[in-house]
Amino acid sequence: MRGLCRILVLGVLGLVLLRPAAAQPQTDTTLTWRSYSRTGTVQVQVYPGPPDDEEEHTIVLRELAENEGPSTVDDLQYLADLVGRQLGVDPTRAYWVLHWGGFSFRGADPDADKALFLRATFNRTQSNTLSSPYWSVISETDVRELTDRRWRK
């Protein structure tokens, strides 16, 4: 009986320990880029796209308070191309989510509940460059769905 209890406890612990790993992004890194005379910084998280959707990835760009350069909104077209080349992602086959929260502003509470999410998608032009983004404001629930329920605050 004690052996069975140990096996059950170990099994439950194993499930608890393995569960957060499945919720992690495929990539979580900080990217810097040069824009004119200023260097920008953004946190990049790559998730699988929603099941049964043509977008293969959802890429969350978190605007950081440490960013001394342009906003991610200002350089999104360039960032989408740069991230795509560096991570092997087709920018036109991904949802791009721009995320602002307390972590985006110096002196603000980084764990504040208030947040803003913008979703962008791209097409290719006839010259094979990225089009201007198509924008929409989305909710935190939308972000969870776009990341196949893997996104966490």
Side-chain angles (χ1 to χ4, degrees):
M1 186 69 165
R2 289 179 74 187
L4 180 61
C5 285
R6 284 184 186 164
I7 290 172
L8 286 173
V9 168
L10 289 174
V12 168
L13 275 174
L15 288 174
V16 169
L17 293 174
L18 291 176
R19 192 171 145 226
Q24 300 299 316
Q26 295 171 332
T27 302
D28 189 352
T29 189
T30 302
L31 177 74
T32 59
W33 76 99
R34 190 102 171 121
S35 178
Y36 299 104
S37 63
R38 301 180 314 166
T39 299
T41 304
V42 66
Q43 181 181 4
V44 179
Q45 296 174 325
V46 180
Y47 296 90
D52 304 323
D53 209 352
E54 70 179 46
E55 273 67 16
E56 298 169 349
H57 298 91
T58 297
I59 300 167
V60 178
L61 302 175
R62 296 182 68 179
E63 185 80 43
L64 302 174
E66 299 82 40
N67 183 15
E68 301 270 331
S71 168
T72 52
V73 169
D74 292 338
D75 278 0
L76 183 59
Q77 225 171 334
Y78 175 75
L79 287 172
D81 191 48
L82 181 64
V83 169
R85 280 186 278 118
Q86 287 188 357
L87 301 179
V89 173
D90 180 356
T92 65
R93 305 271 314 203
Y95 289 114
W96 296 84
V97 176
L98 283 65
H99 179 201
W100 289 266
F103 54 85
S104 302
F105 306 97
R106 292 194 192 280
D109 177 5
D111 299 319
D113 285 341
K114 292 182 181 180
L116 173 66
F117 302 94
L118 297 177
R119 186 190 73 200
T121 55
F122 293 95
N123 289 319
R124 293 264 176 211
T125 65
Q126 288 181 344
S127 62
N128 206 30
T129 61
L130 286 181
S131 67
S132 295
Y134 297 93
W135 295 102
S136 61
V137 177
I138 60 173
S139 69
E140 189 172 338
T141 301
D142 295 328
V143 176
R144 281 196 194 93
E145 290 175 15
L146 291 173
T147 60
D148 195 18
R149 305 233 177 259
R150 294 178 186 213
W151 184 80
R152 302 270 189 259
K153 283 187 182 184

